[in-house]
Amino acid sequence: TPIAALAKSPTAMVVPSGLPVTTVQEFIDYAKANPDTTFYGMAGIGTTQQQHAELFNSMAGLKVKPVNYKSSADAQTDLVGGRLQLMFVTVASARGQIDGGQLRLLGYTDDNLPDDAPDAPTMAEAGVPGMEGAQIFWGLYGPPGLPDDIRDKMNAAVNEAITDPAFVALAASSGATPSPGTAADFVALLEAETEAVKSFAEMMPKAE
């Protein structure tokens, strides 16, 4: 039984600092000019890294090719080294490399960011609308058949708890912000995510 969303985080579009692009549009132009040598990294089939990169491909009319890694850390190492040209990651996971100048942040999928997040436009502001739902989220669930009155009491308690400064700071450490709302709001979020995953599956090549 969905009870409440806890927090949400947009993902960040990052490229190696040595890539000759400084904006999302410049990356699009670069990828179109270099289709055979432009790759994105991901840590597993179906991960948000792949979903968000393929959504970007679809929205921008690109065919940036995936390279699958055992871990995000391995992929980001190759991104820093210039063997990859793109990743969509949480800003928290790349913050050190962004601040250190090893990666360049081009944009965020949406604007629900912690106050101290590095500055960058949203993808819509950068000319690629339609990626606002490309988020990572955390939520609280109960057992099947949880009575509505208990669900609603738990939802109210969660909404109060996520305003606590300690929780806000914890969420910020993952690049996220609290996501208050009703149980129905959480259900709507889950339904939208389900549709997004279905759309992603339809983008993937079908087995012969």
Side-chain angles (χ1 to χ4, degrees):
T1 302
I3 295 172
L6 300 176
K8 293 196 300 182
S9 170
T11 53
M13 178 182 176
V14 291
V15 301
S17 58
L19 199 71
V21 303
T22 58
T23 68
V24 172
Q25 186 58 54
E26 287 180 1
F27 179 87
I28 293 171
D29 294 341
Y30 176 91
K32 287 181 176 178
N34 300 275
D36 296 328
T37 56
T38 305
F39 300 90
Y40 73 82
M42 62 182 188
I45 302 297
T47 58
T48 54
Q49 292 166 342
Q50 185 185 25
Q51 291 181 41
H52 296 182
E54 289 297 341
L55 179 60
F56 174 63
N57 268 342
S58 176
M59 294 297 180
L62 298 177
K63 294 184 178 179
V64 181
K65 295 181 286 293
V67 180
N68 195 13
Y69 288 80
K70 291 182 178 179
S71 72
S72 294
D74 290 340
Q76 285 180 219
T77 295
D78 271 5
L79 184 67
V80 168
R83 290 175 287 278
L84 297 172
Q85 287 68 49
L86 171 68
M87 283 188 72
F88 280 86
V89 297
T90 63
V91 67
S93 70
R95 182 64 185 265
Q97 294 159 328
I98 293 169
D99 290 347
Q102 297 167 299
L103 293 179
R104 181 174 296 124
L105 171 64
L106 299 187
Y108 295 107
T109 54
D110 208 352
D111 63 359
N112 52 304
L113 292 155
D115 291 340
D116 67 344
D119 187 50
T122 65
M123 299 300 289
E125 291 169 341
V128 186
M131 296 194 66
E132 295 80 10
Q135 305 248 355
I136 295 170
F137 65 88
W138 295 259
L140 180 67
Y141 302 81
L146 187 70
D148 290 353
D149 59 334
I150 295 176
R151 179 204 63 195
D152 292 343
K153 287 179 181 177
M154 294 180 69
N155 175 272
V158 167
N159 282 326
E160 180 178 356
I162 62 179
T163 65
D164 185 279
F167 181 86
V168 174
L170 178 64
S173 71
S174 295
T177 54
S179 185
T182 65
D185 293 332
F186 188 30
V187 169
L189 173 64
L190 294 171
E191 290 174 345
E193 180 67 12
T194 299
E195 290 303 312
V197 171
K198 287 180 180 177
S199 296
F200 163 74
E202 290 170 358
M203 293 179 195
M204 295 297 96
K206 302 296 186 293
E208 296 294 336

